[in-house]
Amino acid sequence: MKEKIYFIPGLMTDERLWKRVIPFLENEYEIVHIPIPRSEDFDEIIDILFNEIKEEKINLLGFSLGGYIASYFAITYPNRIKRIFMIAATPGATNEAEIERRKEKFAIIEKEGFGLSYEKALSLVEETNKNDKDLIQTIIDMFNDLGKNCFISQLTSTFYRKDLFEDLMHQDFPIWIFYSEKDRLLNKQALKKLTTTIHNIKMIKREGSSHNIPLEAPFDFASNVKSWMNS
């Protein structure tokens, strides 16, 4: 029987986020996709996941917002965790300036309408992937298909993030974070704390600016997942 890994996507992404990764992992592991529950309350989100997941101990992997949710789950229910893997994510709180910037997005939606344009999606990918039309269209489709209400709910939840670093660093299960060195969507304050403080969290840095690592660097991502599963 294959060992399971539970995959949680991020803000305005769904199971399509993993489509380029699955071929590198499916022969060795059973990948279980878990959508982010529709709630603005992280306690409610992880309680929903707690009740959905029946295994006693799990391998939990989360991308971006999903990485934060995975770490929140891990410190709340550490007895349910074998290991944690966060991609393009930190366990840090959202600072006030970023909260205000995100609130402005709601006003923009009301004024200009909801949707992710091709130009905006193009700006989110690395230079070497600018001609990858399937990649860019996947980002657009996930965002637009999930819709306005999902966007408002997920973005609002990020206003209430608290810093989980201290709680996380005292856990005794493997914790890995995989991120791009120049990812401008990462919380820079939280990343600085992670890279300048002594802790038990394994940090894996890749060159580049990609936030959507599972789509832009699937082989590299899958290789690190395999190493994590062997940790």
Side-chain angles (χ1 to χ4, degrees), residues 20 125 129 132-140 215-216:
R20 296 183 175 187
V125 304
N129 293 321
D132 189 337
K133 293 185 178 180
D134 175 75
L135 163 68
I136 296 161
Q137 194 60 49
T138 299
I139 294 170
I140 294 169
L215 284 169
E216 294 201 69

Side-chain angles (χ1 to χ4, degrees), residues 152-197:
I152 291 172
S153 174
Q154 290 187 356
L155 196 66
T156 301
S157 75
T158 68
F159 301 166
Y160 309 112
R161 286 175 59 139
K162 58 184 180 182
D163 195 330
L164 309 177
F165 177 68
E166 295 296 331
D167 290 323
L168 204 61
M169 68 182 289
H170 295 300
Q171 304 301 329
D172 58 3
F173 44 74
I175 304 166
W176 289 32
I177 296 179
F178 183 38
Y179 68 102
S180 297
E181 182 178 18
K182 298 178 181 177
D183 182 354
R184 54 189 161 83
L185 298 181
L186 277 183
N187 182 324
K188 300 300 185 294
Q189 292 176 339
L191 188 60
K192 183 178 180 181
K193 182 188 291 188
L194 283 163
T195 53
T196 59
T197 307

Side-chain angles (χ1 to χ4, degrees), residues 27-124:
N27 289 336
E28 297 173 58
Y29 310 106
E30 180 182 349
I31 307 303
V32 182
H33 171 69
I34 314 176
I36 296 176
R38 186 70 65 87
S39 173
E40 297 168 9
D41 183 333
F42 285 113
D43 289 314
E44 182 178 16
I45 288 171
I46 63 167
D47 282 344
I48 291 169
L49 297 181
F50 180 91
N51 292 319
E52 285 183 358
I53 298 168
K54 304 306 178 185
E55 281 78 15
E56 185 177 341
K57 281 185 175 288
I58 62 171
N59 305 300
L60 190 58
L61 179 152
F63 164 74
S64 195
L65 174 59
Y68 181 82
I69 292 170
S71 61
Y72 200 107
F73 187 99
I75 66 168
T76 308
Y77 301 114
N79 60 313
R80 297 287 305 275
I81 294 295
K82 288 182 183 178
R83 52 179 69 82
I84 289 288
F85 194 110
M86 289 180 271
I87 317 105
T90 71
T94 307
N95 63 49
E96 289 300 322
E98 181 62 20
I99 290 173
E100 290 306 312
R101 189 181 71 82
R102 294 181 184 189
K103 286 181 177 179
E104 290 172 1
K105 291 181 181 292
F106 296 150
I108 293 172
I109 288 173
E110 293 305 315
K111 181 179 179 180
E112 301 178 4
F114 175 82
L116 183 66
S117 68
Y118 192 91
E119 291 71 26
K120 178 61 178 177
L122 188 65
S123 73
L124 298 174

